[in-house]
PDB file of all heavy atoms in Angstrom:
ATOM      1  N   LEU A 162      25.491 116.173 228.657  1.00 54.00           N
ATOM      2  CA  LEU A 162      24.634 115.083 228.185  1.00 54.00           C
ATOM      3  C   LEU A 162      25.373 114.343 227.086  1.00 54.00           C
ATOM      4  O   LEU A 162      26.065 114.912 226.260  1.00 54.00           O
ATOM      5  CB  LEU A 162      23.309 115.631 227.655  1.00 54.00           C
ATOM      6  CG  LEU A 162      22.391 116.273 228.693  1.00 54.00           C
ATOM      7  CD1 LEU A 162      21.165 116.857 227.996  1.00 54.00           C
ATOM      8  CD2 LEU A 162      21.956 115.263 229.730  1.00 54.00           C
ATOM      9  N   THR A 163      25.225 113.068 227.094  1.00 57.00           N
ATOM     10  CA  THR A 163      25.888 112.254 226.082  1.00 57.00           C
ATOM     11  C   THR A 163      25.077 112.289 224.808  1.00 57.00           C
ATOM     12  O   THR A 163      23.850 112.488 224.839  1.00 57.00           O
ATOM     13  CB  THR A 163      26.021 110.795 226.572  1.00 57.00           C
ATOM     14  OG1 THR A 163      24.718 110.298 226.828  1.00 57.00           O
ATOM     15  CG2 THR A 163      26.862 110.704 227.816  1.00 57.00           C
ATOM     16  N   PRO A 164      25.731 112.099 223.656  1.00 53.00           N
ATOM     17  CA  PRO A 164      24.974 112.088 222.405  1.00 53.00           C
ATOM     18  C   PRO A 164      23.937 110.967 222.406  1.00 53.00           C
ATOM     19  O   PRO A 164      24.183 109.872 222.880  1.00 53.00           O
ATOM     20  CB  PRO A 164      26.055 111.837 221.349  1.00 53.00           C
ATOM     21  CG  PRO A 164      27.336 112.240 221.992  1.00 53.00           C
ATOM     22  CD  PRO A 164      27.160 111.994 223.454  1.00 53.00           C
ATOM     23  N   GLY A 165      22.754 111.240 221.889  1.00 52.00           N
ATOM     24  CA  GLY A 165      21.656 110.269 221.864  1.00 52.00           C
ATOM     25  C   GLY A 165      20.787 110.322 223.100  1.00 52.00           C
ATOM     26  O   GLY A 165      19.755 109.680 223.175  1.00 52.00           O
ATOM     27  N   SER A 166      21.183 111.065 224.140  1.00 55.00           N
ATOM     28  CA  SER A 166      20.350 111.186 225.323  1.00 55.00           C
ATOM     29  C   SER A 166      19.367 112.326 225.132  1.00 55.00           C
ATOM     30  O   SER A 166      19.448 113.072 224.170  1.00 55.00           O
ATOM     31  CB  SER A 166      21.211 111.392 226.569  1.00 55.00           C
ATOM     32  OG  SER A 166      21.913 112.603 226.462  1.00 55.00           O
ATOM     33  N   SER A 167      18.451 112.473 226.047  1.00 52.00           N
ATOM     34  CA  SER A 167      17.394 113.460 225.895  1.00 52.00           C
ATOM     35  C   SER A 167      17.313 114.324 227.135  1.00 52.00           C
ATOM     36  O   SER A 167      17.771 113.932 228.213  1.00 52.00           O
ATOM     37  CB  SER A 167      16.071 112.733 225.653  1.00 52.00           C
ATOM     38  OG  SER A 167      15.008 113.639 225.651  1.00 52.00           O
ATOM     39  N   LEU A 168      16.717 115.481 226.988  1.00 54.00           N
ATOM     40  CA  LEU A 168      16.496 116.343 228.140  1.00 54.00           C
ATOM     41  C   LEU A 168      15.343 115.831 228.999  1.00 54.00           C
ATOM     42  O   LEU A 168      15.211 116.205 230.154  1.00 54.00           O
ATOM     43  CB  LEU A 168      16.165 117.770 227.673  1.00 54.00           C
ATOM     44  CG  LEU A 168      17.304 118.553 227.032  1.00 54.00           C
ATOM     45  CD1 LEU A 168      16.790 119.868 226.498  1.00 54.00           C
ATOM     46  CD2 LEU A 168      18.403 118.776 228.044  1.00 54.00           C
ATOM     47  N   ILE A 169      14.494 114.986 228.431  1.00 58.00           N
ATOM     48  CA  ILE A 169      13.315 114.473 229.127  1.00 58.00           C
ATOM     49  C   ILE A 169      13.699 113.181 229.843  1.00 58.00           C
ATOM     50  O   ILE A 169      14.408 112.332 229.299  1.00 58.00           O
ATOM     51  CB  ILE A 169      12.178 114.201 228.131  1.00 58.00           C
ATOM     52  CG1 ILE A 169      11.818 115.492 227.389  1.00 58.00           C
ATOM     53  CG2 ILE A 169      10.973 113.616 228.822  1.00 58.00           C
ATOM     54  CD1 ILE A 169      10.856 115.276 226.264  1.00 58.00           C
ATOM     55  N   ASP A 170      13.238 113.044 231.063  1.00 60.00           N
ATOM     56  CA  ASP A 170      13.489 111.816 231.820  1.00 60.00           C
ATOM     57  C   ASP A 170      12.643 110.699 231.205  1.00 60.00           C
ATOM     58  O   ASP A 170      11.416 110.745 231.256  1.00 60.00           O
ATOM     59  CB  ASP A 170      13.133 112.033 233.294  1.00 60.00           C
ATOM     60  CG  ASP A 170      13.441 110.820 234.144  1.00 60.00           C
ATOM     61  OD1 ASP A 170      14.189 109.933 233.681  1.00 60.00           O
ATOM     62  OD2 ASP A 170      12.933 110.762 235.280  1.00 60.00           O
ATOM     63  N   LEU A 171      13.277 109.711 230.625  1.00 65.00           N
ATOM     64  CA  LEU A 171      12.569 108.647 229.911  1.00 65.00           C
ATOM     65  C   LEU A 171      12.087 107.518 230.825  1.00 65.00           C
ATOM     66  O   LEU A 171      11.485 106.573 230.345  1.00 65.00           O
ATOM     67  CB  LEU A 171      13.454 108.079 228.800  1.00 65.00           C
ATOM     68  CG  LEU A 171      13.776 109.055 227.673  1.00 65.00           C
ATOM     69  CD1 LEU A 171      14.659 108.399 226.640  1.00 65.00           C
ATOM     70  CD2 LEU A 171      12.502 109.547 227.012  1.00 65.00           C
TER      71      LEU A 171
END
Side-chain angles (χ1 to χ4, degrees):
L162 293 176
T163 59
S166 63
S167 173
L168 290 174
I169 301 172
D170 183 16
L171 294 180

